[in-house]
Amino acid sequence: MEAVTVIIETPKGSGQKYDYDLRTGKMKLKKVMPLGLVFPFDFGFIPGTVGGDGDPLDVLVVSEVSAFAGCAVDCRIIGAFKVVQQEHNGKPVRNDRLIGVPEVSQRYADVSSLGDLSKTIVEQAIAFFTSYNQQGGKKFSVLEKLGAGKAFQLIEKSRKDLPMDRLVEIFLPLRDGNGEVFPKQLYDGIRVELTTKFGGLTEYSRNPAKGFWKPDEGTAEQDELLVFEVMCSETDTEFWSKLKLRLLKLFKQDSLIIRCSKIELLCCCVFGALGFFHQRQD
């Protein structure tokens, strides 16, 4: 199974709980825990996932070292605690805890499942989460201990449950600087790559968009464009940056536009049928 990137929020040994603040993009102090209660290992989340509580999936990172808040750690997932958490209002909520081991760990290099960990570590982790939730007036109940395979299935499902509210548009030229049409195979490869990664793709090829630009001489020219659109749940800046660099070389361009817009779904009735359209917020 592939490694997943975990963003550490609260370091090992910390008596304070930190959360990542989406609004500011910074770590925020959430609470100070009672004297003697500290995190047994680094605690964080997997970006691009959503759990039963509406937040990204939580991960306890078992390691011989302590990272820092905001540190990104590549981990192999070795298992999970399938959890029901009773909130203040008595409503039960699924809030599973995954267990990961850093790829660079030496002490836990041979650990690939919960069974490879000592019984003490597993019991202490459950005891910590139970005590932590009791302090917050919540009840923490482990329904089942999952192996690595089922734990990874939780991650895959959580990614599918994310709202697809990002529209990414890739503007590609149809002709080179000499007016020659680019080979169809170039677009076929990009089409397959994007469809495989995002599960679908929309393209505008019959009526290409017209882009106008003025070179230094002051004369206006027309550039035919092919537009690919994909929908996704989050903007993977690293992926799009690397793709843009490849496309610039592939099409021998000095510049190329990849634009991301936030989609707001609006409901409307059309001739008695329920329809949807999207409004982009650039």
Side-chain angles (χ1 to χ4, degrees):
M1 287 176 285
E2 64 181 271
V4 299
T5 299
V6 177
I7 304 299
I8 302 302
E9 290 181 305
T10 304
K12 174 182 178 180
S14 175
Q16 300 83 39
K17 175 69 168 64
Y18 300 94
D19 278 353
Y20 178 70
D21 188 338
L22 286 172
R23 185 178 61 85
T24 63
K26 299 181 183 298
M27 291 296 169
K28 187 174 184 178
L29 178 63
K30 182 178 181 181
K31 67 170 66 174
V32 176
M33 298 190 294
L35 187 65
L37 185 61
V38 299
F39 278 77
F41 294 102
D42 289 343
F43 186 72
F45 66 94
I46 302 176
T49 63
V50 60
D53 61 348
D55 293 329
L57 289 176
D58 296 322
V59 184
L60 187 69
V61 180
V62 178
S63 174
E64 66 270 36
V65 300
S66 175
F68 56 87
C71 180
V73 183
D74 290 335
C75 298
R76 60 180 178 279
I77 300 301
I78 64 171
F81 301 144
K82 187 176 178 180
V83 171
V84 167
Q85 189 171 288
Q86 189 171 346
E87 299 297 304
H88 302 283
N89 57 9
K91 181 181 178 181
V93 174
R94 278 285 297 278
N95 195 5
D96 302 327
R97 303 292 199 276
L98 284 85
I99 311 298
V101 172
E103 290 282 79
V104 297
S105 174
Q106 297 184 25
R107 181 180 301 175
Y108 299 95
D110 297 328
V111 173
S112 58
S113 68
L114 284 180
D116 295 332
L117 289 176
S118 71
K119 187 177 180 180
T120 301
I121 289 179
V122 175
E123 290 178 347
Q124 286 181 344
I126 294 175
F128 166 76
F129 286 126
T130 301
S131 298
Y132 176 82
N133 280 275
Q134 284 178 345
Q135 294 296 327
K138 302 176 183 179
K139 184 179 179 181
F140 181 88
S141 301
V142 177
L143 301 178
E144 185 181 359
K145 297 173 186 175
L146 304 178
K150 289 187 177 180
F152 205 82
Q153 288 176 10
L154 289 178
I155 299 174
E156 291 300 303
K157 182 181 182 302
S158 73
R159 287 170 174 164
K160 293 178 182 178
D161 290 342
L162 280 171
M164 305 292 281
D165 60 357
R166 298 289 190 277
L167 180 71
V168 180
E169 299 167 289
I170 304 98
F171 297 84
L172 301 174
L174 290 177
R175 302 175 185 275
D176 62 20
N178 297 319
E180 298 294 327
V181 177
F182 286 109
K184 177 178 177 295
Q185 290 78 6
L186 291 184
Y187 306 98
D188 290 341
I190 301 167
R191 186 181 296 108
V192 170
E193 178 181 359
L194 294 176
T195 301
T196 300
K197 182 173 178 63
F198 298 100
L201 176 146
T202 301
E203 64 179 273
Y204 301 94
S205 55
R206 292 184 180 177
N207 297 299
K210 305 292 185 179
F212 293 89
W213 58 279
K214 283 189 175 183
D216 296 335
E217 291 79 7
T219 58
E221 296 189 12
Q222 195 176 68
D223 186 19
E224 292 184 322
L225 302 173
L226 175 65
V227 182
F228 284 159
E229 286 186 353
V230 297
M231 293 180 65
C232 53
S233 58
E234 62 174 354
T235 307
D236 186 342
T237 305
E238 183 178 2
F239 169 80
W240 292 113
S241 295
K242 289 181 178 179
L243 177 64
K244 182 174 181 177
L245 288 175
R246 285 196 286 119
L247 294 178
L248 287 172
K249 293 179 180 179
L250 195 63
F251 290 95
K252 298 181 176 63
Q253 299 291 304
D254 294 325
S255 63
L256 187 146
I257 296 175
I258 297 180
R259 182 173 66 182
C260 178
S261 307
K262 177 72 180 293
I263 299 173
E264 179 184 355
L265 293 180
L266 303 176
C267 175
C268 62
C269 292
V270 181
F271 299 111
L274 189 63
F276 294 91
F277 65 97
H278 69 258
Q279 174 178 317
R280 294 205 298 267
Q281 299 176 340
D282 295 334

